[in-house]
Amino acid sequence: MNTARPWPTLVVASALTLVCAVAAGVSGSAAGTELTRGPSAAELQAAARREVAERWRTWPSGRIFPATLPYSAEQGGRERASRIGISPGTACDPVDPKAVKALRKAGCRGLLRATYIDALRGVLVTIGVVALRDELDAVRAKAAFSDSGKPVPGLYPLAFSGTVADRFTPGVRQAGSVRQAGPYLVLTTAGQVDGRPADAADEQRPSIFAFATEISERVLTDLSTPRMPDCTAEEWRC
């Protein structure tokens, strides 16, 4: 019995084999191109956004809160605020109760705090970095804090026993601020070193607390400014 396929069938089979081979070659070429091409501009931008969003966890605490921060002195010139200490905690609750609820609703990932003292060693300020899920959540969470310079609702001070900041309690707060950029809020709360309650201050001088906002903006800028990935550097995987 002749089992050979008729000629037209062989032609069709050969043609299909060729088509499949060409398709496989094209697919292999596309896959090879995909594996060997560099990242696109959109991919680089997405990687940069992801890197910014993780800085609160990946950066050393001393990079987020430098030992000193420059500011404009009330009497003119430049001064530097000195860091007293950094909290090891990252819980989202060292803020007034209503603000705690707002942070949780907005998906707070962590809250970092550090306390500084001005160059004249008369004013203390605690800076709080709040990491949110994304920029929209950060904008929503910002509305829970006072933007008028008042400390409430706002951040709780971070005191350190045995230091000049050992009396820096919530009742000492006299000024506060909130700023937002990217997925971050940066909060401040400020008061005087002598521990006097806000309602016992003889004369309200908002200007002596102005540096607190300035140094917080420096922290926020460093945290939230994207940088494009460098695929030649070890810290990036492209």
Side-chain angles (χ1 to χ4, degrees), residues 144-158:
F145 297 92
S146 171
D147 62 356
S148 64
K150 295 181 179 180
V152 180
L155 180 70
Y156 285 162
L158 174 63

Side-chain angles (χ1 to χ4, degrees), residues 40-61:
S40 67
E43 290 169 338
L44 289 174
Q45 291 171 357
R49 288 193 297 270
R50 288 193 297 270
E51 189 271 335
V52 166
E54 293 301 318
R55 285 177 183 173
W56 74 278
R57 290 196 307 176
T58 59
W59 278 13
S61 58

Side-chain angles (χ1 to χ4, degrees), residues 189-202:
T189 189
Q192 298 186 57
V193 172
D194 59 14
R196 74 183 70 178
D199 57 6
D202 297 330

